[in-house]
Amino acid sequence: MKALRIGRLSAVAVVAAGALALSACGSDNTAGTTNTGSASSGPKVTGTLTGTGSSAQSSAIDAWKQGFTQANPGVTVQYSPDGSGAGRKTFISGASQFAGTDAAMKTDELESAKAVCGPDGALDIPVYISPIAVTFNVSGVTDLNLTADTIAKIFRGTITNWNDPAIAADNSGAKLPDLKITPVHRSDDSGTTQNFTEYLAAAAPSVWTDKGAQTWPASLPGENAKGTSGVVKTVTDTPGAFAYADDSAVTGTLGKAKVKVGDKFVALSADGAAKAVALSKPVDGRAANDLAINLDRKTTDSSAYPIVLVSYHVVCTTYKDQATVDLVKAWETYVVSADGQKNAAAAAKSAPLSSDLAAKAKTAIDSIKVKS
């Protein structure tokens, strides 16, 4: 994964950044009221925007920062990829203007956000769609077919060696070594973990008996690492390692599994991830402009790759002043624009938002206003 040009912010530094001196030109005309697919649309804005959260978004954030600040040279965007859980907590505390998260806000989090965001609370806006790779480090092997049950058994520790008959049965001709499997998982609260365990719970329910969660089950074997980059480094450094990670960070030296969907084994792809999102439905009971998605993990449509995350930016429905409103709206408008999504796809191998989802995101962004 590309390293962020802005270093990680400590909690103290993030809080300090809350005392922002934001300003904007043309605040009578709110920035980003039309989506022309360009960071230069709408009035120019200035100031410092602070976000914290998803490490899976890091490469995309870098691309968005570059495009947005080129068009708005008076803006600084600070983003600390401390994980989705940390991002939501920082946002709810009021120390950041947006959170990046690979799992939508929970009901209790939306309620807590009202203290900072006003009575209408916060919104989940989809900004980044990416397949989650099931990746491994086995010399001479770059491509394997794995069922959901087999993946779940490896992570639960009931399949412990790469030449296990369950793996061999779906990989005729593969040279599987007599090598111990070392499962690797995230140590931090992670939206990637949430999405991956949701997949296992839905697709392999007889094996994966835990519910989907941000925190990996503590009783399971294996090694852990912090953040997407930490997981990928551990797998790269450990012969026999096996892990899940956002595809943007998985290097060409590691293998990636095809997963069984219906009666076929499906390779990871941005198109497959986008198809999985298209087959899914909105989360019930959310506000009109909250775009949280209930992903269909059990699809049998072999054009879809179901181990996918939809990563969100969480924003307030209202901010304290027009300058902050203008800055947040201008930034988010660029992120969901055609240019923003194209640049993220080039940098992070993500799938661009569909035109329908992008239009709904723009409507949600346009609804942000100043606290009355």
Side-chain angles (χ1 to χ4, degrees):
M1 183 188 305
K2 293 191 301 182
L4 289 177
R5 284 187 288 274
I6 302 298
R8 284 182 177 274
L9 297 173
S10 67
V12 173
V14 172
V15 172
L20 300 174
L22 297 172
S23 62
C25 299
S27 60
D28 291 338
N29 296 313
T30 303
T33 56
T34 60
N35 183 3
T36 65
S38 170
S40 61
S41 62
K44 292 289 189 291
V45 289
T46 61
T48 300
L49 183 67
T50 300
T52 307
S54 163
S55 61
Q57 282 189 33
S58 290
S59 294
I61 290 279
D62 273 349
W64 291 328
K65 284 164 58 178
Q66 181 177 6
F68 185 66
T69 57
Q70 280 180 348
N72 297 275
V75 171
T76 298
V77 180
Q78 300 178 141
Y79 186 78
S80 187
D82 296 332
S84 297
R88 295 196 303 275
K89 290 176 183 176
T90 300
F91 174 79
I92 290 170
S93 76
S96 65
Q97 286 72 56
F98 75 96
T101 175
D102 303 331
M105 293 273 275
K106 299 176 183 177
T107 301
D108 62 329
E109 291 174 325
L110 288 171
E111 186 64 30
S112 296
K114 292 180 179 180
V116 172
C117 296
D120 293 328
L123 299 174
D124 296 286
I125 299 176
V127 297
Y128 176 81
I129 297 171
S130 180
I132 297 172
V134 178
T135 186
F136 52 88
N137 180 355
V138 179
S139 179
V141 181
T142 58
D143 186 24
L144 285 176
N145 297 327
L146 297 176
T147 66
D149 279 0
T150 298
I151 295 168
K153 287 176 181 178
I154 292 172
F155 279 110
R156 296 202 81 86
T158 57
I159 292 177
T160 59
N161 201 287
W162 280 108
N163 63 0
D164 188 279
I167 300 175
D170 290 319
N171 295 278
S172 178
K175 295 181 179 179
L176 299 171
D178 182 7
L179 176 67
K180 177 186 174 183
I181 300 175
T182 301
V184 182
H185 61 270
R186 289 279 289 269
S187 61
D188 50 329
D189 284 359
S190 161
T192 308
T193 298
Q194 173 101 36
N195 282 273
F196 185 67
T197 55
E198 283 177 357
Y199 164 75
L200 292 178
S206 63
V207 180
W208 193 266
T209 53
D210 298 280
K211 294 181 179 180
Q214 295 178 74
T215 305
W216 190 259
S219 62
L220 298 185
E223 297 187 11
N224 63 73
K226 185 175 181 180
T228 302
S229 58
V231 167
V232 172
K233 185 179 187 305
T234 301
V235 176
T236 303
D237 293 345
T238 309
F242 183 75
Y244 59 95
D246 185 84
D247 186 48
S248 65
V250 178
T251 65
T253 61
L254 299 179
K256 297 179 188 178
K258 294 178 181 177
V259 298
K260 196 165 190 180
V261 182
D263 59 358
K264 296 182 179 179
F265 285 97
V266 177
L268 176 153
S269 70
D271 286 345
K275 180 67 173 183
V277 174
L279 293 171
S280 301
K281 297 179 180 179
V283 173
D284 292 333
R286 297 289 178 124
N289 286 317
D290 188 291
L291 302 177
I293 296 170
N294 187 14
L295 290 162
D296 181 4
R297 307 293 188 180
K298 297 191 292 184
T299 182
T300 57
D301 187 330
S302 59
S303 67
Y305 181 84
I307 316 179
V308 61
L309 64 82
V310 176
S311 202
Y312 302 86
H313 282 177
V314 181
V315 297
C316 284
T317 52
T318 63
Y319 289 89
K320 63 181 180 179
D321 53 50
Q322 189 67 52
T324 308
V325 168
D326 288 352
L327 185 54
V328 171
K329 291 175 77 168
W331 161 252
E332 297 299 345
T333 292
Y334 172 67
V335 165
V336 303
S337 73
D339 277 358
Q341 290 293 298
K342 180 181 178 180
N343 290 341
K349 299 184 287 185
S350 57
L353 301 178
S354 68
S355 58
D356 179 62
L357 189 54
K360 290 178 180 177
K362 185 62 171 62
T363 297
I365 294 162
D366 286 344
S367 71
I368 300 170
K369 58 188 180 181
V370 178
K371 288 181 182 178
S372 56

